[in-house]
Structure formats: structure tokens, C-alpha cells
């Protein structure tokens, strides 16, 4: 018990001896705390056992359970990695290239039959489309425009008129409104009367540049194999060396192409359409129900529905299409939100339909549900963030929880190095930075995944991915500053990301604790990861285009 009279008398005596305002305030606070709770020793005596109880019976068990879950997920991911590497290796060892597995004959120009041997193809894009090596009377170039910028509309229309004057069968299709986004545009394009004469549709986004012989190399698979619905080409990136961000994207996408799609194509004849750089058999699109806008991954939606009907897909790893990567961190984040939320939302809507499907084998059904969706689209994303950004830092604060080193650091970095060596050999020395960067993106992907899985507010958000290309190269800072854009305050707000900085602070704190009190050297990972989160938090990943003089 504290004597009230003694406490009242002690305060003025101390105020006279200290003769300082700051000392008065701090001492008053200390006296009030001691009056309420007791002395420092009393506080430690009261709350020490409580903290030990909470730590022993709540924090440690929960953290240990989370660790076991992560280790199980890590093992499942390792098995999937072995499975994918095995498929890719098997395809190469057994020379299971598409030309060996399917009938393929080169397209020949016949003077007698003219262009009748060439099926009707229509292509959605401008640019390299008009330069494709294909008879002009057997090719329709359709440009789908639903942009809201009048200047862009005018330029596109004039470009179409220029090609039309040179004898190209090009159609400019203007769409009012953006209902259904890309799926809506593709559905609208297939309704046109002139498309009814076509058997195939080659789809390219506006920044994609196919080589002139693209159709001649890809079309024979569709012509001679009536069970093939889709030919997917491999993407190559014209701006991969533009900045660190584009190099990281190249490594991630190369792994998807070389390991996932090539392996899935060679053994299972199923993978997801990438949305561009591919040719579809229109009959397969119609049989599968056409384009749907129920998710933001209309390409994956169509591929899964066509796969459930027994159609086969072929990935051509040696057929390249040039494209461009988003070079700003903001654009890349919005793209990854769509690419993570969409598959989770599609899984939610289709898992029952897939399980009940009677047209495909049990093994194919298992492959689509477990390998394609559950492991690659859900578990892989959640595990990366949960383990490396939450569980492992907390473990460094609680020595009672022990993490097997093989499951924490060693296995991950060995696998990452092997992945880069196989998929992107020229970037093998960036394996560690790639892992650290992917951990940052796992934070955004996990948020998007949960939004899509529970169909929250932003589940169907569609933001066009901005790609700078050469638009800003060669311009002075005055020209860049004069360009229309957000104000300085708004731009600064977009640049500074508080969530990334918050995670960075958490990792720094765990790392500092580990240096002074930790038994393991997890700070060797925590500090580099914290630095990467800090760089992301201040918006210094990717190309930075100044739009106001103060930030130039």
C-alpha cells in the first residue's frame, strides 16, 4: 500500500530540488506510475510471471504451430519443384518437343491452289501484325479499341487507315465503354460478321511484336492436329535490362515458361493461356463457352474450361514473341494484384466444377486442382510471405522455437539458384536478390490472393498496366516536368509505401534483437530483407519518371 500523504509531500520537495520543467514532468509521471503500480521491482514482480505465462502457453505454441505448418508447406512446395523439374528434364531427355509429339508440316506456297491452303486467321493488334508472312486474303487484322483517350483513338484509327491503304485487310473496332475489360473486348470482337469466316484467332496485346514467320511456324500444329486448341509462344522482353525491376520479372517469367509451361505441355498437355502471344482454335473457344468476365484472368478461365473438355495445349519454347515489362513499381504491383487475385477467385468459382467433371481423367483433375491451383497459385504465395516475413522474424525473438536450418534458409536459396541457372542462366548471380525481392512481392500477392479467395471489394479490380517503353527516353527534365501528371504531394504519397516501411521496421527490430540476445544468426537474413523492404517503401525499385521539379 502507498501512503497518500507521503506521496503528496514528496512531490513538492522534489520540484524544489530539481528546479527544471522536464525533470518535473518525467518525475511526476514516474511517481504516478509507482503510485498506481508500485516500484519498478513491484512492476517486474507483477508482470514478469504474466509475460512468462503468455509466452509459454500462448505465443510459443502458436508460433510453433505456425512453424510446423510452414515446414509442411515447404515440403509440399519442394515436391512440386521436383515434379516440375522432372517434367522439364524428361521433356529434354526424351526429346519430347512438340514437333516430335504432334504432326507438323511446313506451310508451302502452292501456285495452283493459291492461298486456299492457308486457313483464315484474324489477329488482334497493330504493328507487327501487318508484317506477318501470310497471304493477305487469308488474314484479318482486327484492332479492338476501348480506350478513353481521344488522342490515342485518333492515332490508332489513322494507323489502321494507313495499313488499309497498303492492301492489308485491317478492321478498326471501336468499343464504347470498357464493360468486361479485356474479356468484354475479345467477346465483342468474335461477334463480327467477318470473323465468322475465320477458323483461328491469334491474340497479341498492343506491345507485343511477333516475328514475320510466327503464323507459319505455329499454324501447322493446329491444322494437322484437330485435338489441339491452343498454341502458346514464349515471351521475350525488349526492356529486360532497363532496370533491376525488369531483371527480376524476367527471372520469374522465364521460370514459368521453361519449367511450368514447357513441362505441363509436354506431359499433361495443359497449362494456362498467358493472354497474349498465342493462337486459339475458334471452335474450342465456342465449345468452352466463350470469353467470360467473371474474373480478371479471362485467359486462365478459358484455358481451364477448354482443358476440362479434353482440348490439348502446346507450348512452343523456341517460338519467341517480343514484349515489354512494366518498369515502374506501381505498375508492377497493380499487375501482380490482378495476376494473384484472379486465379484465387477463379479457383473459388471452379473447384467444384472441376471436381465433378466427368470428361477428364482423375489424374488430370488432380493435376489441375492440386498442382496448378492449390500449390502454385495459393500455397506458394502464402508460404513465402508467412514464413519469411512473419514466422522466421518472430522465431528470432523466441529461442524456445527451433527452426531446422534446411527448412529455413539453405533449401530455399539452393532451389532459387538452380531455378535461375535452368531458366535464366545469365542472371544466376542475382539468385539471392531475386529471393529477397520475391519475398516483398509475396506480401502484395498474399493480400490480393485473400481478396480474390474471399471475393472482397477489389477482387475484380482492373488497372491497365502502364509500360513506359521508349516514350520517356531522350526527353529532358523540363519536358518530363511539363508533362501532365499528379501533383508533387500526390506523387510523393504514391512513392512512399507505409506498409513496406512498417514491415522493414519490424524486420530491423527482430534483427537487432537477434544480434544482442539471439542464439541463431537469423539477422544475416533479416537485415538484407529489411533493406529491400525499405527500398520498396521509398519507391526506388524500377524506373522513376519525375513529373514535378521538386522530385526530379
Amino acid at each position: 500500500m502507498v501512503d497518500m500523504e507521503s506521496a503528496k509531500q514528496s512531490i513538492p520537495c522534489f520540484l524544489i530540488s530539481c528546479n527544471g520543467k522536464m525533470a518535473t514532468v518525467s518525475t511526476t509521471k514516474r511517481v504516478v506510475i509507482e503510485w498506481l503500480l508500485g516500484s519498478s521491482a513491484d512492476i517486474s514482480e507483477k508482470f514478469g510471471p504474466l509475460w512468462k505465462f503468455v509466452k509459454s502457453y500462448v505465443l510459443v505454441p502458436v508460433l510453433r504451430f505456425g512453424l510446423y505448418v510452414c515446414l509442411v508447406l515447404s515440403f509440399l512446395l519442394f515436391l512440386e519443384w521436383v515434379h516440375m523439374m522432372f517434367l522439364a528434364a524428361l521433356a529434354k531427355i526424351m526429346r519430347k518437343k512438340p514437333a516430335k509429339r504432334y504432326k507438323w508440316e511446313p506451310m508451302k506456297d502452292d501456285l495452283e491452289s493459291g492461298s486456299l491452303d492457308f486457313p483464315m486467321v484474324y489477329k488482334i493488334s497493330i504493328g507487327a501484325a501487318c508484317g506477318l508472312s501470310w497471304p493477305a486474303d487469308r488474314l484479318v487484322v482486327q484492332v479492338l479499341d476501348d480506350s478513353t483517350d481521344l488522342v490515342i483513338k485518333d492515332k490508332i484509327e489513322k494507323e489502321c487507315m494507313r495499313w488499309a491503304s497498303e492492301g492489308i485487310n485491317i478492321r478498326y473496332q471501336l468499343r464504347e465503354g470498357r464493360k468486361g475489360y479485356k474479356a468484354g473486348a475479345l467477346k465483342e470482337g468474335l461477334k463480327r460478321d467477318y470473323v465468322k469466316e475465320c477458323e483461328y484467332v491469334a491474340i497479341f496485346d498492343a506491345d507485343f511484336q511477333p516475328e514475320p514467320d510466327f503464323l507459319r511456324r505455329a499454324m501447322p500444329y493446329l491444322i494437322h492436329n484437330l485435338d489441339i486448341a491452343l498454341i502458346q509462344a514464349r515471351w521475350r522482353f525488349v526492356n529486360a535490362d532497363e532496370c533491376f525491376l525488369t531483371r527480376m520479372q524476367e527471372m520469374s517469367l522465364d521460370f514459368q515458361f521453361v519449367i511450368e509451361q514447357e513441362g505441363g505441355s509436354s506431359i499433361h498437355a495443359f497449362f494456362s493461356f498467358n493472354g497474349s502471344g498465342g493462337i486459339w482454335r475458334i471452335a474450342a473457344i465456342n465449345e468452352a463457352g466463350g470469353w467470360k468476365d467473371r474474373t480478371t484472368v479471362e485467359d486462365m478461365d478459358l484455358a481451364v474450361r477448354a482443358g476440362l473438355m479434353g482440348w490439348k495445349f502446346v507450348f512452343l519454347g523456341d517460338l519467341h514473341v517480343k514484349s515489354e515489362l512494366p518498369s515502374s513499381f506501381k505498375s508492377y504491383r497493380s499487375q501482380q494484384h490482378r495476376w494473384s487475385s484472379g486465379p484465387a477467385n477463379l479457383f473459388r468459382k471452379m473447384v467444384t466444377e472441376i471436381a465433378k467433371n466427368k470428361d477428364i481423367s482423375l489424374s488430370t483433375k488432380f493435376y489441375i486442382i492440386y498442382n496448378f491451383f492449390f500449390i502454385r497459385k495459393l500455397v506458394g504465395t502464402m508460404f513465402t510471405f508467412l514464413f519469411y516475413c512473419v514466422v522466421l522474424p518472430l522465431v528470432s525473438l523466441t529461442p524456445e522455437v527451433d527452426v531446422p536450418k534446411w527448412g529455413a534458409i539453405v533449401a530455399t536459396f539452393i532451389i532459387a539458384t538452380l531455378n535461375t541457372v535452368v531458366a535464366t542462366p545469365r542472371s544466376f548471380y542475382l539468385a539471392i536478390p531475386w529471393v529477397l525481392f520475391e519475398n516483398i512481392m509475396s506480401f502484395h500477392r498474399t493480400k490480393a490472393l485473400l481478396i480474390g479467395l474471399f471475393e472482397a471489394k477489389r477482387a475484380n479490380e482492373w488497372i491497365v498496366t502502364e509500360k513506359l517503353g521508349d516514350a520517356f527516353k531522350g526527353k529532358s527534365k523540363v519536358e518530363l516536368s511539363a508533362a501532365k501528371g499528379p501533383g508533387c504531394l500526390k506523387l510523393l504519397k504514391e512513392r512512399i509505401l507505409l506498409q513496406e516501411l512498417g514491415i522493414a521496421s519490424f524486420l530491423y527490430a527482430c534483427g537487432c534483437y537477434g544480434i544482442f540476445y539471439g542464439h541463431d544468426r537469423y539477422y544475416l537474413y533479416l537485415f538484407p530483407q529489411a533493406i529491400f523492404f525499405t527500398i520498396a517503401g521509398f519507391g526506388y525499385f524500377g524506373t522513376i519518371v519525375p513529373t514535378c521539379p521538386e522530385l526530379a
Side-chain angles (χ1 to χ4, degrees), residues 452-470:
L453 200 59
F454 294 101
E455 206 161 12
K457 185 177 180 181
R458 295 178 58 202
N460 293 312
E461 180 183 77
W462 183 290
I463 299 176
V464 177
T465 304
E466 297 179 2
K467 298 177 181 179
L468 300 180
D470 296 328

Side-chain angles (χ1 to χ4, degrees), residues 60-111:
V60 171
V62 170
L63 191 56
R64 188 171 284 137
F65 174 77
L67 175 61
Y68 290 152
V69 170
C70 286
L71 290 177
V72 171
L73 296 180
S74 177
F75 180 70
L76 294 178
L77 287 171
F78 176 75
L79 290 181
E80 177 62 14
W81 177 80
V82 172
H83 170 242
M84 290 189 296
M85 294 294 286
F86 172 76
L87 294 183
L90 189 65
K92 292 186 180 298
I93 293 174
M94 298 181 64
R95 300 186 180 277
K96 279 185 165 289
K97 291 186 177 181
K100 300 288 186 181
R101 292 182 287 120
Y102 299 101
K103 185 178 180 181
W104 186 91
E105 294 179 4
M107 302 297 297
K108 297 179 180 179
D109 295 311
D110 193 325
L111 296 177

Side-chain angles (χ1 to χ4, degrees), residues 523-549:
Y523 56 83
L524 295 176
Y525 155 75
L526 294 175
F527 283 127
Q529 186 66 77
I531 292 172
F532 266 62
F533 266 103
T534 303
I535 295 173
F538 285 110
Y540 279 101
F541 278 127
T543 301
I544 300 171
V545 180
T547 56
C548 69

